[in-house]
Amino acid sequence: MEIFYSGDIDGQMLTLDEEETRHCVKVLRHRTGEEIFVIDGRGHLFKCILCSTSGSRARAEIVERTPSWGGHPYHLTMAVCPTKNNERFEWFLEKACEMGVDRIVPLIGEHSERKVYKTERARKILLSAAKQSLKGAVPEMDEPVSVKDFLLSQQPEDPSCRRLIAYCFEAQEDERRSLREMLETPGADRWVVMIGPEGDFSEEEARLALSRGFIPVHFGASRMRTETAALFAVSAVYQHYI
Amino acid sequence: MEIFYSGDIDGQMLTLDEEETRHCVKVLRHRTGEEIFVIDGRGHLFKCILCSTSGSRARAEIVERTPSWGGHPYHLTMAVCPTKNNERFEWFLEKACEMGVDRIVPLIGEHSERKVYKTERARKILLSAAKQSLKGAVPEMDEPVSVKDFLLSQQPEDPSCRRLIAYCFEAQEDERRSLREMLETPGADRWVVMIGPEGDFSEEEARLALSRGFIPVHFGASRMRTETAALFAVSAVYQHYI
């Protein structure tokens, strides 16, 4: 099932951008009158009939709407320090989208080797992973933010939202709880999980996180790379709601 | 912590092969009398003192042995059809090893696009992932085998071993149970999980699996690529034992 994306929906009509039009008309050779399926990236699947394929932007009429198509029963924000090797982080983005994630926040930590992160490629990877895994919603991709600014932006009030931070300071080992235990504590359907860089969070960042209501968690005995730990967290949350 | 590997252990002495010796002596410039850490790939970590660094094979004396170093409290065999794009399968191998897997069986299914799989690179990836994630045991890598021959080799008797197969035939949707439900059913500490190719298992392969005592499972609503589904299964088993 081939899925297209449109960010330009006006009542019963939608327009594909130049790239989607090329793929739909030039590559897949869809013609006027044919049925196509389009997501809006916000959760909807539209069954459409192509009305115009001439010019650089195809237009189609919506004949059926499916809300929260391919959705999941939780809201997960992954706030992760991008890895030095960008390919590893991009692999995480694709896999996290396939399993089910809602928002990605690229964090720049004090120990981050990568201090700059461009989100343009990341957005493309998330869009194509959402289409490939038949999801109407494309995960939001934030612009990079420092760990401190991210923490200061968090509102600890919402009781249905559980905020977790994974770090590996051996000193604090006893204070950490297992991700599984946190998932099995009832009352939450919104999750925020912070994953540090290769060099881990700084102690100051960790202290600030705790003061902002984040709960320190561990992922068991295995020592995982940043992107593996991040995907493990997505996988664990997804599994909890199956 | 830099870890070396040796498959040549004789009492208190061990020998590094040429590649490990080059890395230890030429790259990291370790000298006679220095302490190094070596795994045997079967679960042991050895603290050693380098005795000889001349020649192409360094030798070291074992001064301390740690059994089941970086081990996990279950035994997991992942029998997975390698993906058409080999890089995707290699990502799975690395990540599965980081989380915790014991044996990889590359399956060739009737619908496999990849009918040939070379295990040499895979073994290197698993060894380096085991060292990087501080595990004394390197997952076993079987030679590729057809789905049918693999199934015929399985002995359904052992009650502590639970055998699962993930497939997506919509007809059989009701017969499948969730992986989570299976994990939470007590009594098993050994797991075998079969993951099909992009084109799924054939109905004949699935029928044979059921006749051999495999239980059909689903991984929830998300549509995952082969390597994502396989890693999700590893992640779910690992999480269950945390």
Side-chain angles (χ1 to χ4, degrees), chain B residues 98-159:
Chain B
E98 284 179 53
M99 290 182 187
V101 68
D102 299 279
R103 184 180 162 208
I104 305 282
V105 184
L107 294 178
I108 309 301
E110 284 181 28
H111 299 168
S112 282
E113 295 189 69
R114 176 178 292 280
K115 299 286 188 192
V116 178
Y117 186 74
K118 300 215 182 315
T119 55
E120 193 187 339
R121 265 176 63 94
R123 291 176 205 276
K124 287 192 173 132
I125 287 163
L126 290 169
L127 174 57
S128 106
K131 290 163 149 190
Q132 201 273 339
S133 57
L134 306 185
K135 295 179 191 301
V138 179
E140 292 172 64
M141 182 79 211
D142 284 22
E143 287 304 312
V145 58
S146 76
V147 168
K148 281 176 189 152
D149 290 345
F150 173 72
L151 285 168
L152 296 172
S153 75
Q154 292 289 298
Q155 302 306 328
E157 292 75 33
D158 178 357

Side-chain angles (χ1 to χ4, degrees), chain A residues 95 180 219 227 238-239, chain B residues 95 219 227 238-240:
Chain A
K95 300 315 179 198
R180 186 180 176 200
F219 295 165
E227 75 279 7
Y238 171 72
Q239 183 194 7
Chain B
K95 300 315 181 195
F219 295 165
E227 75 278 9
Y238 171 72
Q239 183 195 7
H240 179 70

